Amino acid sequence: MPASPPERGICVSTAIEMKDIFGKTLGRSNVAAVVLPEIEEGDSPEVQSDAFVGQLFFFSIPAALKIAPLALAEGFKTAGIDSKYLPQPIHPSNAFRSASSTLKRDEEMPVNGHSAHVSLLVREVGDDATNVVRHIVVEIADKEHVRLLYTEAAQLELVGSDVTVSELPGMAELPDTVANIVRESIDGFPARFSEYLENLNDGYIRRAITAMMRAEHIIRLRRDGVVYFALQAHKHVVDQLADLFEWMQPGSAEFRDLPLIDVRKQRQMVVQETARHVHGEVDNLVREIDKLLLRKKQNGAKIRSKTVSKYLEELGRLTQLVTEYRQATGDKIAEAVSALDLLRMQATELQMEADD
């Protein structure tokens, strides 16, 4: 009985006979293959017939937003979002870096009777498996931006999940007004660290939402923009996000969506942005694979089958995305398919170089 053809729009594995450039057989290898649905010119039988091609939406998350992990889990449950997209537990080093980064300052102020530009900088000076050390560096410049002083004034250290704060010799060099600002900042640092250790900040929440949107084939309409698009088949994602933002602090976190009417002009926009989106993702993945292959060539770094599987999964995800958007718009989206071909070739080479 003949084998059933592979499902359209997925990444499958197939055995092919590999040959070098002179035709010599190198053996057989399992390589990634992409199967996309054929759409004939002028024929789009699978184009969805809904009144709307999809949903446009945008959101904003204030930098000051803090949510406890258990509370966010409840918010996800309320919105019907799969808990697998919840952020990973907060690591002390991440909380330490985030909290210390908030101590940066940059302002004009009087110093010894003259107007000066004062900057508090945060510089990492030590990082290993057990502790992280950062220094508060003070820079003072005159109104012509000529540097008058540059010194390390204080030290912040993380050991395990505990922080210590200490002054450095450079503190004695600072004018009293500036030294007072530094002391005020470091005195409040332990409490600030605790806040970041116990609560998810906007970065954690944004990354969780991004992971969900990637898995659900949501595309961003402009690389430098904040407007997203979901096909009508994924409207449930938009509804879930709307419910999550409603659960979050009303008036601070913001979410807005509107339907995209299914007309020719809008379809063409979706086609162009799909190609742009896929190109961007493929470019990043190809660069990552290139680095892996280069390290393998230069110093024999191992390429694990787990690593290969990760890139094959990404290839499969993007392939499914393109398939859905082709079916929804009736366009072959040739640019996106060409980009996938490049990623497929890179994934194939990565498979051939895998060590296990």
Side-chain angles (χ1 to χ4, degrees):
M1 181 176 179
S4 301
E7 182 182 349
R8 290 180 173 183
I10 64 170
C11 174
V12 300
S13 180
T14 182
I16 65 171
E17 190 172 81
M18 307 301 299
K19 296 183 179 182
D20 64 17
I21 59 174
F22 302 107
K24 181 181 177 180
T25 299
L26 299 177
R28 297 175 69 80
S29 175
N30 288 328
V31 298
V34 177
V35 183
L36 288 170
E38 290 298 325
I39 300 178
E40 300 296 334
E41 295 292 344
D43 181 24
S44 52
E46 294 183 279
V47 175
Q48 59 190 39
S49 57
D50 305 68
F52 305 108
V53 69
Q55 300 283 126
L56 297 173
F57 66 94
F58 67 90
F59 59 85
S60 64
I61 303 173
L65 184 64
K66 303 288 185 299
I67 300 178
L70 288 178
L72 185 63
E74 184 61 33
F76 269 46
K77 183 178 180 180
T78 300
I81 300 174
D82 196 314
S83 61
K84 69 182 179 182
Y85 298 120
L86 283 168
Q88 294 296 310
I90 302 171
H91 194 278
S93 63
N94 292 335
F96 179 81
R97 289 189 175 92
S98 296
S100 58
S101 293
T102 66
L103 303 185
K104 296 176 184 177
R105 293 181 67 164
D106 194 28
E107 62 183 89
E108 300 287 336
M109 61 181 296
V111 176
N112 295 337
H114 300 279
S115 178
H117 190 89
V118 178
S119 298
L120 267 60
L121 312 172
V122 179
R123 297 286 184 261
E124 192 151 322
V125 295
D127 178 13
D128 58 35
T130 58
N131 70 313
V132 183
V133 179
R134 285 188 151 190
H135 283 178
I136 305 298
V137 179
V138 177
E139 180 183 61
I140 302 176
D142 63 19
K143 61 182 180 180
E144 279 78 32
H145 302 290
V146 175
R147 180 185 287 177
L148 304 177
L149 180 66
Y150 184 88
T151 187
E152 296 179 329
Q155 176 173 293
L156 311 172
E157 184 175 10
L158 173 72
V159 179
S161 58
D162 298 318
V163 297
T164 57
V165 177
S166 57
E167 294 187 7
L168 296 175
M171 185 75 83
E173 302 177 43
L174 299 179
D176 289 343
T177 52
V178 179
N180 289 338
I181 291 174
V182 176
R183 290 191 176 105
E184 181 182 347
S185 296
I186 63 175
D187 286 348
F189 179 71
R192 187 177 294 261
F193 167 71
S194 294
E195 179 186 3
Y196 275 79
L197 187 61
E198 296 168 3
N199 295 280
L200 298 162
N201 61 22
D202 63 306
Y204 279 93
I205 299 168
R206 199 180 303 277
R207 287 190 291 274
I209 291 173
T210 298
M212 175 190 179
M213 292 193 299
R214 279 170 57 86
E216 292 285 356
H217 300 171
I218 309 301
I219 66 173
R220 188 164 64 173
L221 295 191
R222 285 287 185 268
R223 291 178 184 176
D224 57 348
V226 291
V227 179
Y228 298 87
F229 174 76
L231 288 173
Q232 196 68 8
H234 292 270
K235 185 179 181 298
H236 66 281
V237 179
V238 182
D239 294 338
Q240 288 174 337
L241 288 174
D243 289 342
L244 177 65
F245 275 80
E246 184 177 350
W247 172 87
M248 286 194 287
Q249 300 172 10
S252 56
E254 181 184 14
F255 185 89
R256 294 285 185 273
D257 67 289
L258 67 158
L260 187 67
I261 299 174
D262 186 7
V263 296
R264 182 182 298 275
K265 185 177 180 181
Q266 276 77 359
R267 281 185 182 276
Q268 187 57 35
M269 181 271 290
V270 172
V271 168
Q272 292 172 350
E273 295 301 336
T274 302
R276 185 197 301 272
H277 177 88
V278 173
H279 259 296
E281 292 220 30
V282 167
D283 287 348
N284 290 334
L285 293 170
V286 166
R287 279 195 294 269
E288 290 178 14
I289 294 175
D290 281 343
K291 289 179 182 177
L292 289 172
L293 292 172
L294 183 61
R295 286 199 293 268
K296 169 83 172 182
K297 180 179 179 181
Q298 291 180 335
N299 53 37
K302 291 185 179 297
I303 298 176
R304 302 297 185 188
S305 58
K306 184 177 180 181
T307 301
V308 177
S309 296
K310 182 189 81 169
Y311 287 103
L312 290 179
E313 287 172 4
E314 288 296 288
L315 175 61
R317 178 182 64 81
L318 288 172
T319 300
Q320 290 176 338
L321 183 152
V322 172
T323 300
E324 285 191 17
Y325 280 78
R326 290 177 71 171
Q327 292 173 347
T329 62
D331 191 287
K332 290 188 175 182
I333 318 183
E335 264 193 273
V337 175
S338 296
L340 285 178
D341 284 343
L342 174 60
L343 180 58
R344 178 184 58 79
M345 288 188 289
Q346 288 293 87
T348 298
E349 184 173 357
L350 195 65
Q351 278 188 305
M352 293 174 63
E353 294 292 336
D355 295 278
D356 56 10

